[in-house]
Amino acid sequence: MAVRKPRLTPTERDTLPLLNVVIPPWEGSHPFNVGQDIEKYTPQELRKVASTKQRRTDFFEKTLLAIWYATGEQAVPYAFKTADQSVRSLDAGCLGFLSNREPPEIILLLDEEGFIRAVEPAFGLIDRYRMLGGDRLRLTVTLSTGQPDAQSLAEEDEPLGFDPAAQVDDRLKKESLITIREGAREFRKAVLLQWESCALSGCTVRDALEAAHLHRYGGVNTNHLRNGIILRADIHRLFDRHLISLHYHNGDLVFSVSRGLSNSEYQDFDQKRIMERDLPERRPHPVVVQKHYEEFCRMERNRSTEH
């Protein structure tokens, strides 16, 4: 007979802290659980219930960090009440996902009995989302009893923080060619956490993977998560030379391979499609995708006339 897990007591539920936030909605099982029957967990138990990376865990970590910002960078309680009077608790699977990363991306704070009472984002999580813009993260939750600002959550309206049409300084071009790039390590780590493998080949060998800029590197501002994609090193070089590109079609991401590679193994990747549902939440921004694809098409026309 299964042993019933420890739950919050009525007294503990009555004294839950109040956070002056409203949690954004989520379709399906919400990663900020709603309800009074709240199970308690120890750090050891998180290893057994950990989720895998998915859109739900992306939503959880972004919202968790937004709550942390919104409450003055205070530890986020494991269970709490919100401004709309709902009772929430942190999903154990999502907590397990973040605590089991290497290194862990959350710090677990325990009560006297060894159960999780609150969590804080670790530096790795903070640093990764810093690239997305702290101000935007602060808008993910609402600091009142109002509803989340739909405009602030609109993916396509998110500013990139740089102008894709701007000319790249010649000195930065030189830096790009010899891969001396400010923030390169942090950029690779952040993009790799989003994709986990080469977007085109599926390669998972970390030493063979690189973070490719869709809009050519032009300083630290172009190290934006939505200006990046993970590619195998050889594919990255072809991508930078616009022999391979990509574009959106009905929400899916579709790759195109130059006719100049038609007799190579790369031709097998032509028209490879990543379905919208399989794309990471911070998928490549349509503006930089379109710009890369337009340059690919222009160079394809030039390559055709040369032959």
Side-chain angles (χ1 to χ4, degrees):
M1 183 176 178
V3 178
R4 178 178 167 84
K5 277 190 59 58
R7 259 77 168 170
L8 259 63
T9 66
T11 300
E12 289 173 326
R13 292 197 301 268
D14 291 342
T15 57
L16 287 176
L18 174 65
L19 301 188
N20 191 29
V21 299
V22 174
I23 307 298
W26 178 259
E27 295 182 5
S29 176
H30 203 293
F32 288 80
N33 304 317
V34 182
Q36 301 277 342
D37 188 24
I38 300 172
E39 296 181 342
K40 297 181 179 181
Y41 283 89
T42 65
Q44 293 74 22
E45 289 175 311
L46 292 185
R47 297 190 178 93
K48 303 175 183 178
V49 298
S51 298
T52 57
K53 182 174 176 58
Q54 51 188 287
R55 291 176 65 88
R56 186 171 180 268
T57 52
D58 287 340
F59 173 88
F60 177 83
E61 63 187 38
K62 179 174 69 175
T63 306
L64 178 71
L65 191 54
I67 296 172
W68 181 72
Y69 276 130
T71 55
E73 300 184 5
Q74 299 294 314
V76 179
Y78 170 67
F80 55 91
K81 292 180 180 178
T82 62
D84 58 1
Q85 297 304 306
S86 64
V87 174
R88 299 278 184 160
S89 59
L90 307 181
D91 182 81
C94 293
L95 288 178
F97 172 75
L98 291 174
S99 67
N100 292 334
R101 280 195 179 281
E102 188 58 45
E105 292 199 330
I106 55 173
I107 301 167
L108 302 174
L109 307 179
L110 309 181
D111 63 18
E112 294 179 353
E113 298 179 358
F115 293 111
I116 299 165
R117 64 172 179 83
V119 302
E120 292 181 348
F123 175 76
L125 183 62
I126 298 170
D127 191 55
R128 175 152 55 91
Y129 274 98
R130 176 184 56 79
M131 296 183 184
L132 306 181
D135 291 338
R136 174 169 162 74
L137 274 170
R138 295 167 201 267
L139 292 174
T140 305
V141 296
T142 306
L143 290 175
S144 69
T145 55
Q147 294 301 312
D149 182 354
Q151 181 67 23
S152 72
L153 297 176
E155 287 280 333
E156 305 310 329
D157 292 337
E158 175 191 356
L160 278 167
F162 64 91
D163 181 4
Q167 294 293 319
V168 178
D169 187 281
D170 285 341
R171 290 168 298 179
L172 294 174
K173 287 183 180 178
K174 182 177 181 180
E175 286 185 356
S176 178
L177 288 173
I178 59 178
T179 65
I180 301 177
R181 302 178 178 180
E182 185 180 1
R185 180 179 299 177
E186 293 80 6
F187 179 66
R188 179 182 183 274
K189 180 180 179 181
V191 181
L192 190 57
L193 281 171
Q194 285 290 99
W195 288 90
E196 297 186 333
S197 62
C198 172
L200 190 52
S201 71
C203 174
T204 59
V205 179
R206 292 278 175 126
D207 288 343
L209 301 178
E210 297 177 351
H213 291 80
L214 283 89
H215 176 69
R216 189 172 185 173
Y217 175 78
V220 67
N221 284 345
T222 55
N223 286 343
H224 193 290
L225 195 56
R226 298 193 69 194
N227 187 40
I229 192 170
I230 288 295
L231 296 173
R232 199 174 64 201
D234 57 321
I235 296 174
H236 184 186
R237 283 152 181 74
L238 297 172
F239 186 82
D240 282 353
R241 290 165 174 76
H242 292 86
L243 289 165
I244 293 176
S245 188
L246 69 178
H247 65 280
Y248 281 109
H249 182 259
N250 294 333
D252 301 339
L253 198 59
V254 183
F255 288 86
S256 296
V257 176
S258 170
R259 289 187 294 272
L261 300 175
S262 59
N263 293 322
S264 71
E265 64 272 25
Y266 300 105
Q267 184 60 33
D268 293 339
F269 297 130
D270 190 43
Q271 300 308 301
K272 176 178 177 179
R273 179 181 296 264
I274 302 179
M275 306 296 285
E276 182 177 17
R277 65 174 180 270
D278 297 326
L279 289 170
E281 183 183 14
R282 313 303 296 175
R283 63 192 185 277
H285 199 289
V287 171
V288 289
V289 168
Q290 182 64 24
K291 181 175 175 60
H292 192 280
Y293 186 65
E294 288 175 354
E295 182 64 11
F296 167 82
C297 292
R298 185 190 69 80
M299 294 182 70
E300 273 294 272
R301 290 192 294 270
N302 291 343
R303 286 188 282 260
S304 296
T305 57
E306 290 173 359
H307 295 284

